Amino acid sequence: MLNLKTKLTLILSACLSLSTVSAAENSDDANKLSTAEKKSGWKLLFDGKSTDGWRNYQKDGVSDGWKVKDGVLTRAEKGAGDIITDDEFKYFELSLDYKISPEGNSGLMFHVTEEEKTPWRTGPEVQIQDNVDGHDPQKAGWLYQLYKPAPPRTGTEEEKSKPADATRPAGEWNNLFLRIGPDRSEVVMNGIRYFRFNKGSADWDKRVAASKFSKFPKFGKAEKGHICLQDHNDLVSFRNIKIRKLADDGSAPDPSDGALAIKGVPAFPDLKWEGWEAVNEETGKIVPLRPMVVKSADDSGRLFVATQRGMIHTIDTKSPKQAKLFLDIREKVAPWKKNNEEGLLGLAFHPDFAKNGQFFVYYTAEGMPRKSKISRFQVSASDPSKADPKSETVIMEIDQPFGNHNGGSIEFGPDGYLYIGLGDGGSGNDPLGNGQNLETLLGSILRIDVDHQANGKNYAIPADNPFVDRAKARPEIYAYGLRNVWRLNFDPKTGTLYAGEVGQELWEEIDIIKKGGNYGWSVREGTHNFGNRPETAQEKPIAPIWEYDHGIGRSVTGGTVYRGKKLPELDGMYVYADFVSGKIWALKYDEKAGEVTKNLRLSTSTVPVMAFGTDADGNLYYCVETVKGGEGIFRLEKE
């Protein structure tokens, strides 16, 4: 007869096998590379069909203990042995999904050489195990005996006293990301960075000397080696095993189909800004200008530019020598020097601005507690070139728990309603769980009617908003599951709403915003796992149309669909940028097919871009921080 332990092992193996099949059947993207991944150099290490490219350690082939079924590679039988890649890798990024059995244990090793009896005597190991019932105090994602994550900064006192744990339970898929580079190496578990390290550094050597690996002289010494998946006598499954080689300087291939001969040039090189000086006369300190919004409002030939500190200027594009002060609310606006993501962040003109003179501003209010305000202002009755600063009517106030992720983009849609892009409230990892919570406005895009008032508010709710009839849901919400929208833009031809969604540790994304849509944060980052919160929302997350990883850039600046006449090669393309890398691309999205067909680099300098905008003719501009007035706004033109 079988003993109890053997019976339980067989039952657990069967359960995991069944759940593995189910998960694979329900995952259309398993063992596939997205268009963006292919363009940026990612390769599959497992094709979902065979063990090609792998072999057992110090062997020529793979043992029968490793099984491939329904797109999943499973260590299913005892004695399967550790397996390694045929190829060796020096600098790389690797991503894989794993599913561990209850009490199970495995590992991912790198820079493995075959000089020792076992791979762990040369290759450092990232632990893979069941953190709830596992028998090893070294948890999943820890670099075995060397590095572990710090405690989280938010949560209960008990949670803040223990190392962070972002893993999902046994039987569920987890994503493990490993980067080994010349400048930095890191481990990220389900989208949450656990730690960084530098292999071979003084800190590394000190930790190795204090570990059991000190007696193995070849441990961690190789500059390149195999990837290894460990057989620890437990049932474990893998899929989506992807790798990207990095150049010796740590860079990754740009995800583009080539470049367009279009460059950025200062749009108004001789421009002076009324009310702003680059140096404060009293303190002698530099005072950078940060244009946040550039757009037209009517056919007057004027451009309106909102700056983060709290001023709005107008520029006569026919004689662009002086940016005239249109509105100054600096005394009301929180200075961005205190919190980089606060300040005046949004500007939108009423569809009937030419007749009614109304415009709307989104800003972080000075003082505590933190609040974002959306306010209506009116053009001065006595001077149409100025706004009336006393005309402010606060339409909406939003409490902000932290000083980042304010969002702030506001736009009128083709339907005449005002759309408001909000962040999740800030800090990191969405500590309050706002992204998937319909009871809060944060982490959402709102849609309100500013031409009517109802229920004691200075706005009304459009009757067809998607959550007006859902209990406890805020009726202002149009879409949710967003971390920090930076920026919103309607295609002026099709009315499609685009959003740049800033990611956290690994992925930046471009989304098409749909009514009632859930965009996944903070259980997803793009198309990838994030953290270990359960997915409880009624709406299945909508995948971005485009995403790029942090080997390419680190903070997306959402752009605009070009519909001008001067650059026909850009017609219908979504022009966007990355704030950290300074790169600018043009994305061609086929709305009927629902897919990106091209991503082209523009020949611009790598200056951080904060926002894009257009004039009445559709000419495209972008904004950068400047201490030279004539270099705050650039225009795209042919080389």
Side-chain angles (χ1 to χ4, degrees):
M1 292 180 65
L2 297 176
N3 61 36
L4 180 59
K5 182 177 181 180
T6 303
K7 289 180 179 179
L8 288 173
T9 300
L10 289 173
I11 292 171
L12 292 173
S13 297
C15 291
L16 185 63
S17 177
L18 287 171
S19 64
T20 294
V21 171
S22 176
E25 289 172 347
N26 293 330
S27 178
D28 296 333
D29 297 324
N31 310 307
K32 293 180 181 179
L33 293 172
S34 68
T35 301
E37 287 174 326
K38 292 176 183 177
K39 293 181 189 302
S40 55
W42 288 90
K43 306 289 184 184
L44 286 175
L45 279 180
F46 170 60
D47 62 7
K49 301 175 183 177
S50 70
T51 56
D52 290 351
W54 295 84
R55 59 183 174 84
N56 276 84
Y57 183 71
Q58 296 180 339
K59 303 292 183 181
D60 293 330
V62 176
S63 73
D64 292 337
W66 289 91
K67 306 291 186 184
V68 177
K69 184 179 180 181
D70 297 308
V72 174
L73 172 64
T74 302
R75 180 264 172 228
E77 297 177 6
K78 288 188 175 181
D82 302 328
I83 58 172
I84 62 173
T85 55
D86 289 339
D87 295 333
E88 294 182 283
F89 302 92
K90 183 181 180 182
Y91 299 133
F92 63 88
E93 292 173 329
L94 182 140
S95 175
L96 61 77
D97 295 342
Y98 75 83
K99 182 186 290 188
I100 194 73
S101 56
E103 300 186 25
N105 198 346
S106 183
L108 164 67
M109 285 170 271
F110 61 94
H111 285 181
V112 167
T113 60
E114 295 182 276
E115 305 160 275
E116 298 284 350
K117 291 182 180 180
T118 59
W120 56 264
R121 297 187 183 193
T122 60
E125 176 191 345
V126 182
Q127 181 82 341
I128 291 172
Q129 75 150 356
D130 171 16
N131 283 1
V132 176
D133 298 315
H135 51 77
D136 197 320
Q138 305 281 318
K139 304 302 182 184
W142 295 22
L143 196 56
Y144 195 73
Q145 295 210 352
L146 300 179
Y147 292 87
K148 62 182 180 181
R153 291 176 294 175
T154 58
T156 65
E157 291 304 313
E158 182 181 1
E159 289 169 339
K160 289 189 288 185
S161 68
K162 299 177 181 179
D165 181 9
T167 59
R168 300 184 178 190
E172 293 186 18
W173 288 107
N174 288 273
N175 178 261
L176 178 60
F177 176 91
L178 170 66
R179 183 185 198 273
I180 303 297
D183 52 343
R184 60 183 169 84
S185 298
E186 63 185 14
V187 170
V188 181
M189 176 63 71
N190 286 328
I192 295 178
R193 183 189 297 124
Y194 268 14
F195 51 83
R196 282 179 169 168
F197 62 96
N198 191 348
K199 185 167 167 270
S201 67
D203 179 68
W204 172 276
D205 291 341
K206 180 180 178 181
R207 291 171 185 257
V208 171
S211 75
K212 74 174 186 179
F213 302 112
S214 60
K215 59 178 123 177
F216 303 110
K218 295 180 180 178
F219 175 82
K221 298 298 184 183
E223 294 186 357
K224 69 175 183 177
H226 304 278
I227 305 296
C228 177
L229 299 178
Q230 187 180 48
D231 173 14
H232 212 288
N233 293 321
D234 294 311
L235 184 65
V236 62
S237 295
F238 299 96
R239 68 178 186 185
N240 281 334
I241 310 175
K242 305 171 183 180
I243 198 163
R244 173 171 64 189
K245 292 182 180 180
L246 302 176
D248 284 347
D249 63 359
S251 62
D254 186 84
S256 63
D257 299 287
L260 286 171
I262 294 175
K263 63 181 180 179
V265 299
F268 314 112
D270 301 321
L271 194 65
K272 306 295 182 184
W273 297 78
E274 182 183 357
W276 171 79
E277 296 293 338
V279 179
N280 186 295
E281 291 184 0
E282 295 181 2
T283 65
K285 293 183 178 180
I286 301 294
V287 184
L289 187 74
R290 276 192 161 190
M292 281 283 122
V293 184
V294 53
K295 59 176 57 175
S296 63
D298 48 35
D299 58 2
S300 65
R302 294 181 298 175
L303 272 182
F304 291 79
V305 181
T307 58
Q308 193 171 357
R309 185 61 190 91
M311 296 185 289
I312 300 174
H313 289 81
T314 60
I315 301 172
D316 183 349
T317 56
K318 297 177 182 177
S319 180
K321 299 294 183 182
Q322 178 83 6
K324 296 181 179 180
L325 195 55
F326 179 69
L327 177 68
D328 186 354
I329 54 171
R330 280 177 288 182
E331 76 283 356
K332 298 181 177 183
V333 174
W336 62 267
K337 278 289 187 178
K338 289 184 180 179
N339 286 288
N340 189 50
E341 296 180 29
E342 294 186 334
L344 197 166
L345 303 175
L347 170 66
F349 292 91
H350 193 281
D352 289 328
F353 173 75
K355 295 180 180 179
N356 64 24
Q358 295 180 10
F359 63 97
F360 296 78
V361 173
Y362 179 115
Y363 66 92
T364 313
E366 174 69 292
M368 298 294 285
R370 292 186 175 92
K371 289 183 181 293
S372 293
K373 291 187 178 183
I374 297 96
S375 291
R376 177 195 287 115
F377 286 88
Q378 187 81 36
V379 170
S380 170
S382 60
D383 185 354
S385 68
K386 300 278 187 180
D388 180 359
K390 297 180 180 180
S391 65
E392 180 177 13
T393 299
V394 177
I395 302 298
M396 177 184 290
E397 288 189 342
I398 301 164
D399 292 333
Q400 295 285 357
F402 301 99
N404 60 341
H405 301 184
N406 279 205
S409 186
I410 56 176
E411 296 286 341
F412 278 95
D415 52 14
Y417 296 130
L418 184 65
Y419 291 73
I420 304 163
L422 298 178
D424 63 6
S427 189
N429 304 335
D430 190 12
L432 303 178
N434 291 328
Q436 293 292 297
N437 183 8
L438 287 170
E439 294 184 40
T440 176
L441 297 178
L442 297 171
S444 303
I445 290 173
L446 314 182
R447 178 181 184 240
I448 61 174
D449 179 355
V450 296
D451 291 327
H452 299 88
Q453 294 78 42
N455 300 318
K457 301 181 184 297
N458 284 330
Y459 62 89
I461 305 297
D464 63 340
N465 268 13
F467 303 110
V468 291
D469 296 322
R470 184 174 297 184
K472 296 185 179 181
R474 292 296 299 264
E476 296 93 338
I477 294 174
Y478 183 78
Y480 69 105
L482 297 153
R483 179 177 181 268
N484 192 31
V485 172
W486 194 268
R487 314 245 76 188
L488 288 175
N489 178 259
F490 285 93
D491 182 339
K493 182 177 180 179
T494 67
T496 301
L497 180 56
Y498 286 77
E501 163 75 328
V502 180
Q504 182 161 303
E505 306 294 359
L506 291 179
W507 297 96
E508 304 297 310
E509 60 186 277
I510 305 295
D511 295 308
I512 298 290
I513 301 299
K514 297 183 178 180
K515 180 178 172 181
N518 172 15
Y519 292 85
W521 180 257
S522 56
V523 296
R524 302 280 180 91
E525 184 178 49
T527 58
H528 312 269
N529 282 5
F530 188 88
N532 53 15
R533 286 191 177 103
E535 297 192 24
T536 58
Q538 295 183 31
E539 289 76 26
K540 181 179 178 181
I542 297 173
I545 62 166
W546 185 255
E547 61 183 356
Y548 64 90
D549 60 76
H550 280 195
I552 308 301
R554 292 174 177 271
S555 182
V556 67
T557 297
T560 183
V561 177
Y562 182 79
R563 295 295 181 183
K565 297 179 180 179
K566 290 186 176 181
L567 302 171
E569 57 268 65
L570 278 183
D571 183 53
M573 300 190 78
Y574 179 74
V575 181
Y576 69 104
D578 184 83
F579 181 78
V580 175
S581 70
K583 296 177 181 178
I584 301 179
W585 297 274
L587 195 72
K588 185 68 174 179
Y589 178 66
D590 185 331
E591 291 194 18
K592 290 183 179 179
E595 62 182 13
V596 169
T597 58
K598 281 183 183 178
N599 188 53
L600 300 171
R601 273 289 303 276
L602 304 188
S603 302
T604 55
S605 61
T606 54
V607 178
V609 175
M610 288 180 288
F612 291 87
T614 58
D615 60 22
D617 295 323
N619 297 312
L620 188 56
Y621 302 85
Y622 61 89
C623 304
V624 303
E625 182 179 313
T626 183
V627 293
K628 298 179 180 179
E631 295 182 2
I633 301 174
F634 282 69
R635 180 181 64 248
L636 290 179
E637 64 178 37
K638 293 182 179 181
E639 288 189 322

